[in-house]
Amino acid sequence: MSSTVQPATGTDETVHRPGRWLALAVLVLAVLLVAVDATVLGLATPFLSEDLAPTGTQLLWIGDVYSFVIAGLLVSMGSLGDRIGRKKLLLSGAVAFGAVSVLNAYATTPEMMILARALLGVAGATLMPSTLALIRNIFHDPRERSFAIGIWGATASAGAAVGPVVGGLLLEHFWWGSVFLINLPVMAVLVVVGVKLLPESKNPVTGPWDLPSVGLSLVGMVAVVYAVKEAATHGASWEAGVAALVGAAGLYGFVRRQLTLSAPLLDMRLFRHRGFSGAVLADLLTILGLSGLVFFLSQFLQLVQGRPPFEAGLAELPAAIGAVATGLVAGKAARRFSVRSVVAGGLAAVGLSLAVLTLLTGSTGYPLLGASLLIVGAGAGFSFTVTADVILSSVPKEQAGAAAAVSETAYELGAALGIALLGSIVTGVYRGFSAPEGTPPDVAAAAHESLGGAVEASAALPAARAEALVTAAQDAFTDGLRMAAGVGASVLLTTA
C-alpha cells in the first residue's frame, strides 16, 4: 500500500458541490441501515428460535444468507449502477429494501425466513456500492473525500455494533419482527430526501450489463462460502467438496469472462495495484473479526449471562463508539503515519481483543468485555475506513461503482465468513456437550440444536435437571466462543 491516500489519476478538479454534506447524510443513512440489518438479528435469535423452531443449520442460514447474497451480487450491482446511474439504483433498491423488510417481519416458517433474508440481501446489494461510488463523485477534493469516507466508514463499522442496541430496544417492547419494520420509515426518508439532494452519476463510456457474469459471480461467491461453512461445521464431506468445486469454477469463469469482455463488470487489472489488493484483503479480515464477534457475543450476553435484550445491546455499544471515533480521524492518521501502519495497527487491535476473549467465562465481568469491544471497534474503524479510501483513490471516478463494489464485497464476504467460520466453530464445539444423565432423548436432541433450544427444551424438565442441562449447554457455548475467538485472533494477528 502507498504511504498516503491520494487519487491515482490526478485529474479530478477540486469542485465544491453545494449541498454535498447533506447528500452525504442521506448516503450515510442507507449505509447505517444495511449495516444494522447485518447484526440486528443477533439479539432476536432466541425469540425467533422459539417462534419458528429452526434447526441449528437453519438458524445459521437465517443469520448469514443475507450477507452471502449481498457478497455474491455487489460486484454486479456496482457495475449496474455505473451503467444505469447510481442514484437511480440506490433509490430503487431503497424501495425494494423496505418492501422485503415486511416479508421478513411476518415470516412464519424457517424456510420462509431464509428466503426473505436472501431477498433482503438482493435489495441491500443495490445500496452499498451506490453510496460509496456517489461519495467518490460528489467529493472531488482529496481531503474532503477522505473525511467523507471516514464518516461513511465509521457508520458502516458502527452500524454492525449499533444493530444489537436497536434490536434490544425494540425487543423490550415488541415482537422480533419489529427489527425489520424499523427499516420502513428510514427508507421512506432516504427516498424522499434522496430524490432532491443526490446528484446522478454514471460511467459515460460503458457496455451492456453481462448477465452470464452476474450468474457466475453469484454462484461462485455463494458456493465458496457455503463450502467453508459446511467444512467448518461437519468436517470434510462430499457436499462441501462439491460446493467448493462449483464455487471455484464459477469464480474462475467469472475472471476469465471479465478478461475477454470489452466492458467487463469488474476490471481485473485493478488487482495488479498492490495497494488495492492489500486493502481488499484487510477489509475482509477486519469485518470477519468484528461481525463474528458481535453476532455470537449477543447470544452469550443474553443466554449465558442472562441480560435482557436492551441491556445486552447496550453492552455492545463500545464497539460502535470506538469505530466512530477512529473512523473520523483515520484519514488524518494515514497521512501522518502511513496507510500500512494504520491498517496493520487496526488489524492487530481487533486480533488482540479477540485473543483476550479466549479468557471468557460465564462469570466474566463487564469491564473486560467492554474494553475488548471498544478496542475491536477502534481497530475496525481505522482499518476499514483507510482501506475504503485506498480502494476508491486507486481508480478513475468513472470506475467508482466497480471499485466500491469490490470494497463492499470484501465487507459483506467478511461478515458472512465471520458468522460462518467462527459460528461453525462455536456450533461444532457446542454440539459436543454431554446432556446430564436421565435427560430424555428428545429433550437432549433439541438442546444440542442451539443454546436457545436448550433453554426452551429445559422447561419440560424438573427444576434441578433443567438447571443442570442449561448449565452444561452454557458452558459448551462459552467453550466454543473461546475457541472461535482464538482462531479469529490468530488469523488477524498473522495478517497484521
Side-chain angles (χ1 to χ4, degrees):
M1 297 182 193
S2 57
S3 60
T4 56
V5 183
Q6 298 289 346
T9 63
T11 60
D12 284 348
E13 297 178 18
T14 305
V15 178
H16 298 295
R17 182 187 299 275
R20 61 194 181 282
W21 296 108
L22 284 175
L24 176 66
V26 175
L27 297 176
V28 162
L29 193 64
V31 171
L32 180 65
L33 201 57
V34 175
V36 163
D37 260 66
T39 56
V40 72
L41 202 59
L43 282 174
T45 297
F47 302 90
L48 188 148
S49 297
E50 182 179 349
D51 198 5
L52 303 185
T55 65
T57 301
Q58 286 175 328
L59 197 60
L60 276 179
W61 274 109
I62 289 170
D64 57 28
V65 72
Y66 172 76
S67 293
F68 285 5
V69 173
I70 287 184
L73 286 177
L74 275 168
V75 169
S76 301
M77 292 301 181
S79 177
L80 181 62
D82 285 345
R83 286 162 166 76
I84 70 170
R86 291 137 192 166
K87 175 182 176 178
K88 184 184 298 181
L89 183 66
L90 176 69
L91 297 182
S92 301
V95 172
F97 198 88
V100 178
S101 294
V102 177
L103 181 62
N104 278 261
Y106 292 101
T108 55
T109 65
E111 294 80 8
M112 183 178 175
M113 188 67 192
I114 292 170
L115 175 62
R117 290 283 286 169
L119 292 175
L120 197 66
V122 175
T126 67
L127 302 177
M128 294 295 270
S130 300
T131 59
L132 196 50
L134 283 166
I135 289 173
R136 176 70 173 85
N137 283 272
I138 291 171
F139 293 91
H140 297 283
D141 179 82
R143 287 180 181 269
E144 278 198 352
R145 184 169 66 242
S146 179
F147 184 66
I149 291 173
I151 295 173
W152 178 92
T155 305
S157 300
V162 169
V165 180
V166 175
L169 182 61
L170 291 170
L171 291 168
E172 289 284 333
H173 304 285
F174 307 103
W175 99 114
W176 59 263
S178 62
V179 302
F180 296 107
L181 293 183
I182 192 66
N183 296 341
L184 298 179
V186 178
M187 282 300 171
V189 171
L190 171 62
V191 172
V192 171
V193 179
V195 167
K196 294 182 177 295
L197 285 181
L198 294 177
E200 184 58 281
S201 69
K202 58 183 177 180
N203 190 344
V205 182
T206 188
W209 199 51
D210 187 57
L211 286 177
S213 295
V214 175
L216 288 169
S217 172
L218 180 61
V219 169
M221 293 291 287
V222 172
V224 164
V225 177
Y226 175 79
V228 171
K229 187 169 78 72
E230 280 297 298
T233 307
H234 304 296
S237 65
W238 70 267
E239 292 98 333
V242 169
L245 288 174
V246 170
L251 293 178
Y252 177 76
F254 175 80
V255 172
R256 286 293 301 270
R257 188 167 180 84
Q258 302 319 293
L259 294 173
T260 61
L261 293 174
S262 58
L265 262 59
L266 176 63
D267 186 354
M268 303 308 298
R269 291 172 296 181
L270 293 174
F271 290 95
R272 295 177 184 171
H273 190 293
R274 190 175 67 170
F276 185 92
S277 299
V280 170
L281 178 62
D283 263 4
L284 188 150
L285 293 175
T286 299
I287 301 305
L288 184 152
L290 177 68
S291 64
L293 172 65
V294 167
F295 185 80
F296 292 99
L297 204 55
S298 294
Q299 296 179 60
F300 173 83
L301 291 167
Q302 287 183 93
L303 298 176
V304 176
Q305 294 200 331
R307 301 175 190 266
F310 184 52
E311 183 185 333
L314 286 178
E316 296 187 14
L317 196 57
I321 294 170
V324 170
T326 56
L328 294 177
V329 300
K332 185 179 292 185
R335 286 190 293 273
R336 180 171 181 180
F337 299 107
S338 83
V339 168
R340 182 182 291 109
S341 61
V342 172
V343 173
L347 287 167
V350 178
L352 287 171
S353 296
L354 289 174
V356 169
L357 292 181
T358 59
L359 306 175
L360 198 66
T361 67
S363 59
T364 296
Y366 183 70
L368 179 64
L369 287 172
S372 297
L373 284 164
L374 180 66
I375 297 172
V376 164
F382 270 131
S383 180
F384 184 61
T385 304
V386 172
T387 52
D389 202 352
V390 169
I391 289 169
L392 276 193
S393 299
S394 299
V395 303
K397 64 180 181 179
E398 290 79 14
Q399 292 181 293
V406 172
S407 175
E408 290 308 313
T409 299
Y411 181 100
E412 293 299 339
L413 183 57
L417 285 173
I419 294 173
L421 269 178
L422 301 185
S424 298
I425 294 170
V426 173
T427 302
V429 173
Y430 173 79
R431 286 178 174 168
F433 84 91
S434 299
E437 188 175 346
T439 302
D442 58 330
V443 174
H448 280 92
E449 284 295 331
S450 68
L451 181 54
V455 173
E456 184 181 351
S458 66
L461 301 177
R465 191 168 291 172
E467 183 180 354
L469 176 63
V470 171
T471 299
Q474 290 173 333
D475 290 344
F477 184 87
T478 305
D479 289 343
L481 188 55
R482 282 201 303 265
M483 183 173 290
V487 172
S490 300
V491 171
L492 285 158
L493 291 173
T494 300
T495 307

